[in-house]
Amino acid sequence: MMNTYYITIKDFCSSHEIEESFVFTLGEYDLVTVEIVEQEHYIHQEELPKLEKMVRLHQDLGINLEGLEAIHHLLERVEQMQSEVHLLKNKLRKWEE
């Protein structure tokens, strides 16, 4: 069975010097998934790079939540298109053989 690792939102926010409300708001925008276990709020470790990117974009570039939502959507779309290109290249390679 695969281990699942979480970090508390409180710990994340403390180490990044941000308000917990920012992470909760990202959760409301469906940009990160906030999980609740025994009345404690957590973020899955796989969400950390995405969450850290959102924090940097917000803090360093001053991008608001609507902008973060748009960027997130565009990045997901680019990732999807890259997967499609990879799949098509593989199909083309097989067809050429």
Side-chain angles (χ1 to χ4, degrees), residues 22 25-26 29 31 50 53-59 61-76:
F22 178 72
T25 303
L26 290 176
Y29 277 75
L31 298 175
K50 180 171 49 173
K53 182 185 295 183
M54 296 293 171
V55 168
R56 284 191 312 273
L57 289 169
H58 179 69
Q59 288 181 332
L61 300 177
I63 297 174
N64 64 15
L65 292 165
E66 290 78 12
L68 292 176
E69 185 177 33
I71 290 169
H72 175 72
H73 173 73
L74 290 172
L75 289 174
E76 280 186 335

Side-chain angles (χ1 to χ4, degrees), residues 28-90:
E28 291 171 8
Y29 277 75
D30 290 327
L31 298 175
V32 295
T33 303
V34 175
E35 301 203 22
I36 303 171
V37 179
E38 297 178 8
Q39 298 182 339
E40 186 72 56
H41 295 85
Y42 295 89
I43 296 289
H44 191 276
Q45 73 175 11
E46 291 177 359
E47 296 260 343
L48 291 178
K50 180 171 49 173
L51 179 54
E52 288 171 337
K53 182 185 295 183
M54 296 293 171
V55 168
R56 284 191 312 273
L57 289 169
H58 179 69
Q59 288 181 332
D60 298 347
L61 300 177
I63 297 174
N64 64 15
L65 292 165
E66 290 78 12
L68 292 176
E69 185 177 33
I71 290 169
H72 175 72
H73 173 73
L74 290 172
L75 289 174
E76 280 186 335
R77 185 72 180 115
V78 166
E79 193 173 292
Q80 180 185 25
M81 289 171 36
Q82 286 173 333
S83 294
E84 289 176 19
V85 167
H86 181 71
L87 178 69
L88 291 171
K89 281 183 176 180
N90 285 340

Side-chain angles (χ1 to χ4, degrees), residues 88-97:
L88 291 171
K89 281 183 176 180
N90 285 340
K91 284 183 178 181
L92 181 59
R93 205 173 287 126
K94 287 179 182 178
W95 185 76
E96 289 175 339
E97 292 175 355

